[in-house]
Amino acid sequence: MTDTVIEIRGLQNRFGSHVVHDGLDLDVYRGEILGVVGGSGTGKSVLLRTIAGLNKPSAGSVRLLGTNMQSATEAELDAVSDRIGVMFQDGALFSSLTVLENVEVPLKTIPDLRKETREDLARLKISLSGLPWNAGDKYPAELSGGMRKRAGLARALALDPEIAFLDEPTAGLDPIGAAAFDEVIRDLSRTLGLTVFLVTHDLDTIYAVCDRVAVLAEKRVLVTGSVASMAEVDHPWVREYFLGPRARAARGTIDARPAKG
């Protein structure tokens, strides 16, 4: 039986007179990598922030890891927040802290955790993100864009989350850096059983790592399914996105990769 870790029903997000989502439904299953795509202004990042409890919806319900986020107490919300990790698009690192210190920030919420243990755990997360061993001692300004994103990922993984929310993790990266980041995401999901809610516009990432795709359009989730099934969806935006030249190029790149044995 499939374990649903995120259940959204009738979600509405409104900012003043501007309605971003209206009647949005979505299920996310444990252990999958779900890619969330949509045109500009469809509210991909707003949806991520709403699920993670960073934005209060105007109507509807969000159930995250069994907790109703609209009726939960502060203690229940705190308990859920310890079970998720969020990586924002820009990394959102503290510029005055080293990478190690940035990753330690969530770990400081654990009572009675010794400083040495906290540092060891932080260095482990930095290693899992694919950063070199000495990256922990550097400041964000000393890192490349790709390394800052990995540092943001390391911090999101600090508390061993069950779900990782990643907002445009490969945006602004060169193709080699983006492909390397894709591999890290895929490996983490497979080895740790991590559920990944991945907001992206990167077709290479979608074809490389996503188990399913959710398309945002018309203020709701228009369709969900495998990447391959998107080619059968009779909707102008979906057809242009998944059957256009960039999609064909991305699909060809993935198909051309040698199988791992």
Side-chain angles (χ1 to χ4, degrees):
M1 183 176 179
T2 304
D3 185 6
T4 302
V5 293
I6 300 172
E7 181 184 283
I8 303 171
R9 294 293 181 269
L11 186 72
Q12 182 185 88
N13 277 308
R14 177 193 295 270
F15 300 95
S17 61
H18 178 54
V19 178
V20 179
H21 303 129
D22 194 10
L24 185 151
D25 297 335
L26 179 64
D27 291 325
V28 181
Y29 307 122
R30 185 176 299 278
E32 75 170 341
I33 302 177
L34 177 74
V36 179
V37 302
S40 178
T42 54
K44 300 182 291 296
S45 295
V46 172
L47 178 59
L48 182 154
R49 294 176 65 85
T50 302
I51 299 170
L54 303 174
N55 176 68
K56 185 176 180 179
S58 305
S61 66
V62 176
R63 185 171 291 276
L64 176 58
L65 292 167
T67 297
N68 186 315
M69 300 295 283
Q70 281 62 62
S71 61
T73 65
E74 286 297 324
E76 290 171 333
L77 292 175
D78 288 343
V80 172
S81 69
D82 288 342
R83 299 169 65 190
I84 66 173
V86 182
M87 176 191 163
F88 298 102
Q89 186 173 158
D90 58 1
L93 300 173
F94 297 107
S95 60
S96 61
L97 303 180
T98 65
V99 169
L100 179 67
E101 291 167 339
N102 266 281
V103 179
E104 284 187 88
V105 169
L107 294 166
K108 290 181 178 180
T109 63
I110 302 176
D112 303 321
L113 186 65
R114 294 173 62 244
K115 182 177 185 297
E116 295 79 6
T117 304
R118 189 174 68 231
E119 289 184 357
D120 288 343
L121 288 171
R123 292 193 185 277
L124 173 62
K125 305 306 177 182
I126 290 169
S127 176
L128 283 175
S129 74
L131 284 169
W133 66 271
N134 61 343
D137 301 321
K138 296 184 181 296
Y139 288 90
E142 300 177 282
L143 304 177
S144 67
M147 292 178 73
R148 283 195 297 273
K149 286 179 180 289
R150 287 175 183 262
L153 176 62
R155 190 174 62 183
L157 297 174
L159 295 176
D160 294 326
E162 296 173 49
I163 305 175
F165 293 90
L166 309 182
D167 192 359
E168 298 282 7
T170 58
L173 298 185
D174 63 83
I176 295 175
F181 201 100
D182 289 343
E183 188 170 353
V184 169
I185 295 171
R186 184 173 57 245
D187 289 348
L188 286 172
S189 178
R190 300 299 181 258
T191 58
L192 302 180
L194 184 68
T195 304
V196 180
F197 185 95
L198 173 64
V199 170
T200 185
H201 69 277
D202 191 330
L203 280 158
D204 288 328
T205 295
I206 292 167
Y207 280 99
V209 306
C210 292
D211 299 305
R212 286 196 308 141
V213 176
V215 178
L216 294 189
E218 302 169 9
K219 301 179 183 180
R220 60 190 175 88
V221 174
L222 182 72
V223 63
T224 60
S226 67
V227 181
S229 71
M230 294 298 110
E232 306 302 321
V233 177
D234 187 16
H235 185 276
W237 189 90
V238 178
R239 292 186 65 82
E240 181 179 356
Y241 191 77
F242 285 98
L243 294 177
R246 290 175 63 87
R248 291 196 296 271
R251 188 167 58 246
T253 299
I254 301 304
D255 291 344
R257 289 181 184 173
K260 290 187 177 182

